[in-house]
Amino acid sequence: EAAAVEPAPFRHSIIPGFLASAAFAEALRDELLGLGFRGRRNDLLSLRQSEELRGSSEPHVAALRHALCEEFRPWLSAVTQIELEPTIDISCAKYEYTDVLLCHDDELEGRRIAFILYLVPPWEKRDGGTLDLYSTDERFQPQQIVKSLVPSWNTLVFFEVSPVSFHQARSFLSEEKCRLSVSGWFHGPSTVRPARCIEAPLPRSPHIPYDHEILYEWISLVYLDMDSQAQIQEEFEERSEILLKDFLKKEKYQLLCEALENKDIQWSSQGPANKRLYETAEEDTLPDILDKFLQFLRSEALFLLLSNFTGLKLHFLAPSDEDEDAGEGKATDTTGHSSPKPEQEEVEHYADSKPHQPDQPDSVPEAQDSKTQNSKWSGSSVTWSLDSVQLPNSLSFLFQDWDPEYGGFTSYIAKGEDEELLTVNPEDNCLALVYRDKETMKFVKYVNHRSLARLNKHPNRTGFWDFSFVYYE
């Protein structure tokens, strides 16, 4: 009777002292801590979870399940005016230091009410682990956190699952405490859902007509050797990925690192919160050296060089599998001397070419293009495995002392699978080339609070920068 259902940002309620018996609550906690837990790690979460408790024979767990289904459900159905089925999904989760459950809406066929019963020690907001509720815009996209609920002992929170029920369990900051909770969903008749928001793809652009001289300006000379390129191509064709260490000349790399700390660069946060969280640089605010580097990334010469590295036809001069004179593992001269066309004709042809549009077939000739992005990753940065493009190549700049435990690595997974195909950790001055087809997704793992340890040595560096670019055949 004391429980009030709050309407905003979506229907939810907080019930303190949910279990009438303190002794029962403590016994329940002890039973739960004795369960087997398995670690779960993916683009959305990091936590330890029990098996489904629906069939658990532990007496206090079984009693809780019975009470939720037989006593609490009818009351909940009357309060929410939602017809609920007599069965529930229920499991137990443990969150420890740096664990997180990122922004999501819980929507799945039949889920109508979500619930969380907290069995935690004395808890403060500074310990992290709050249940954050998001507002949404007119397109049902999460905007910002408008309410944060601090976990407390024997408190149950429930909310209606809907297209706007975006929430998260904020990253856990306490190294001593564990957030133990029982959670799950009540099911009922499915509701009509609005169409999912489709984001516009990043704009593509054709290459810029720079000749091979720009390669000698930026790239370590070992990578411009034709025998080295043939060896790289052979390894890439075998593994579909390769890491090229010390890719840029040291002096150029150092200049880029210094320029990235320029306070005049304007960074804008990228969302929405259920898909990504990092910052990108506004190109018109970049120092001259960074602007020139972006031109290098978009240069015709680099298109040809990457074709040599990968064996993919990223430029019309690059050999393809159908070319009779293209032997396996053979690189083409990046100066373009193998072309029967005069260099001026080639430049004019591509200066007039237009970006490849998403609704055009991939087989359109002379549609080689790219999209480039300069990103900054720091505490809480993350992306989800939602996008799908063909050939991502990322050049990641990382200052020393970065540890894989900080997160921030790029993970590649096959669509519909949980097993990782490949993990690429940020590495100092390293070009990571990865072939990705339309059935392979990627995400950048959440950058957690362990990364703050770097501040002891680098007070101004809380994360890392990278240049991400995608080239298309």
Side-chain angles (χ1 to χ4, degrees):
E1 294 177 359
V5 178
E6 301 288 338
F10 46 86
R11 288 209 294 172
H12 67 280
S13 182
I14 305 167
I15 308 177
F18 180 73
L19 300 173
S21 168
F24 180 91
E26 292 172 1
L28 174 64
R29 175 199 58 200
D30 295 342
E31 275 186 6
L32 293 171
L33 288 173
L35 297 175
F37 289 83
R38 63 184 179 91
R40 294 190 59 198
R41 305 284 187 273
N42 57 33
D43 57 329
L44 180 65
L45 53 81
S46 170
L47 53 87
R48 298 184 65 79
Q49 190 172 38
S50 74
E51 296 297 327
E52 171 68 39
L53 299 179
R54 187 180 303 163
S56 175
S57 59
E58 298 290 340
H60 293 82
V61 172
L64 173 66
R65 186 178 64 245
H66 177 82
L68 289 172
C69 290
E70 302 301 325
E71 300 175 38
F72 183 61
R73 177 182 58 85
W75 176 88
L76 186 60
S77 185
V79 167
T80 61
Q81 295 296 295
I82 298 173
E83 183 181 348
L84 299 175
E85 298 171 0
T87 57
I88 58 172
D89 295 330
I90 182 171
S91 63
C92 179
K94 284 198 303 185
Y95 292 82
E96 297 172 334
Y97 182 55
T98 72
D99 282 343
V100 68
L101 178 56
L102 297 169
C103 180
H104 63 291
D105 60 11
D106 266 11
E107 274 210 295
L108 199 64
E109 194 69 29
R111 289 180 180 175
R112 297 304 307 274
I113 301 289
F115 68 90
I116 309 162
L117 173 62
Y118 295 108
L119 297 169
V120 296
W123 205 273
E124 299 180 34
K125 192 170 184 177
R126 65 184 180 185
D127 294 324
T130 55
L131 177 62
D132 298 331
L133 311 184
Y134 285 81
S135 62
T136 51
D137 61 19
E138 66 281 355
R139 299 186 301 165
F140 305 99
Q141 295 279 71
Q143 287 187 299
Q144 59 188 2
I145 296 168
V146 295
K147 193 170 187 177
S148 291
L149 308 178
V150 179
S152 62
W153 172 257
N154 191 15
T155 294
L156 184 134
V157 175
F158 70 83
F159 59 85
E160 182 178 359
V161 176
S162 72
V164 298
S165 57
F166 286 100
H167 60 284
Q168 71 171 5
R170 192 183 293 249
S171 180
F172 288 77
L173 308 182
S174 172
E175 297 187 54
E176 296 80 29
K177 299 178 184 179
C178 159
R179 198 199 83 165
L180 185 72
S181 61
V182 179
S183 59
W185 298 272
F186 290 89
H187 292 258
S190 298
T191 58
V192 177
R193 300 175 184 173
R196 289 290 185 183
C197 177
I198 307 286
E199 294 182 283
L202 287 174
R204 300 186 188 182
S205 57
H207 63 240
I208 304 173
Y210 282 97
D211 63 22
H212 64 285
E213 293 297 331
I214 197 170
L215 303 180
Y216 289 94
E217 180 182 348
W218 286 96
I219 298 175
S220 298
L221 293 181
V222 65
Y223 294 113
L224 300 180
D225 175 75
M226 296 301 292
D227 290 336
S228 295
Q229 292 175 30
Q231 184 177 350
I232 290 168
Q233 183 182 132
E234 184 176 349
E235 183 175 341
F236 183 86
E237 289 179 341
E238 180 180 343
R239 298 170 49 193
S240 296
E241 56 93 10
I242 194 168
L243 298 178
L244 305 181
K245 298 177 183 293
D246 298 318
F247 183 70
L248 298 179
K249 290 185 174 181
K250 288 184 178 179
E251 61 273 17
K252 286 290 190 182
Y253 177 70
Q254 188 58 41
L255 288 173
L256 289 173
C257 291
E258 292 170 0
L260 285 165
E261 292 188 313
N262 190 309
K263 298 188 184 305
D264 292 332
I265 300 177
Q266 294 180 16
W267 299 90
S268 58
S269 182
Q270 300 300 300
N274 62 322
K275 295 182 181 179
R276 63 187 71 87
L277 176 60
Y278 58 89
E279 293 181 316
T280 57
E282 303 294 339
E283 286 194 29
D284 56 1
T285 69
L286 293 177
D288 186 59
I289 184 71
L290 292 176
D291 188 58
K292 289 181 178 178
F293 184 60
L294 288 182
Q295 293 180 45
F296 157 72
L297 295 179
R298 294 164 174 154
S299 68
E300 180 177 36
L302 187 59
F303 272 71
L304 264 174
L305 182 64
L306 292 175
S307 298
N308 281 357
F309 285 163
T310 63
L312 299 167
K313 195 172 181 64
L314 307 179
H315 188 284
F316 71 92
L317 290 179
S320 65
D321 293 338
E322 290 76 22
D323 294 334
E324 294 180 356
D325 59 344
E328 183 177 353
K330 180 180 178 181
T332 301
D333 189 346
T334 53
T335 63
H337 292 160
S338 62
S339 171
K341 297 182 180 181
E343 184 175 349
Q344 183 61 36
E345 181 182 349
E346 169 197 329
V347 169
E348 289 176 354
H349 174 81
Y350 265 81
D352 293 338
S353 66
K354 295 180 179 180
H356 177 65
Q357 298 300 317
D359 57 350
Q360 291 178 315
D362 289 337
S363 59
V364 175
E366 300 169 358
Q368 293 85 358
D369 52 15
S370 68
K371 47 189 186 182
T372 312
Q373 182 170 268
N374 177 15
S375 304
K376 181 167 68 173
W377 304 84
S378 56
S380 300
S381 296
V382 67
T383 63
W384 279 248
S385 56
L386 299 172
D387 54 329
S388 181
V389 290
Q390 282 192 297
L391 180 68
N393 311 274
S394 63
L395 181 56
S396 297
F397 293 105
L398 174 71
F399 293 105
Q400 64 272 23
D401 301 327
W402 192 263
D403 190 305
E405 283 194 348
Y406 300 164
F409 55 82
T410 302
S411 180
Y412 294 84
I413 57 176
K415 196 171 183 179
E417 301 290 334
D418 292 329
E419 288 288 325
E420 289 181 333
L421 299 173
L422 174 69
T423 296
V424 179
N425 284 302
E427 192 168 335
D428 191 44
N429 192 11
C430 181
L431 175 65
L433 294 173
V434 179
Y435 181 80
R436 182 158 67 104
D437 60 24
K438 292 180 179 179
E439 295 301 309
T440 305
M441 301 181 293
K442 71 167 185 172
F443 65 90
V444 176
K445 184 63 176 176
Y446 181 81
V447 179
N448 63 56
H449 283 75
R450 285 191 174 96
S451 62
L452 297 179
R454 301 178 64 253
L455 293 176
N456 295 328
K457 292 185 178 180
H458 308 288
N460 297 321
R461 298 175 183 172
T462 57
F464 65 91
W465 294 275
D466 71 15
F467 290 81
S468 297
F469 44 106
V470 181
Y471 293 84
Y472 297 87
E473 285 192 281

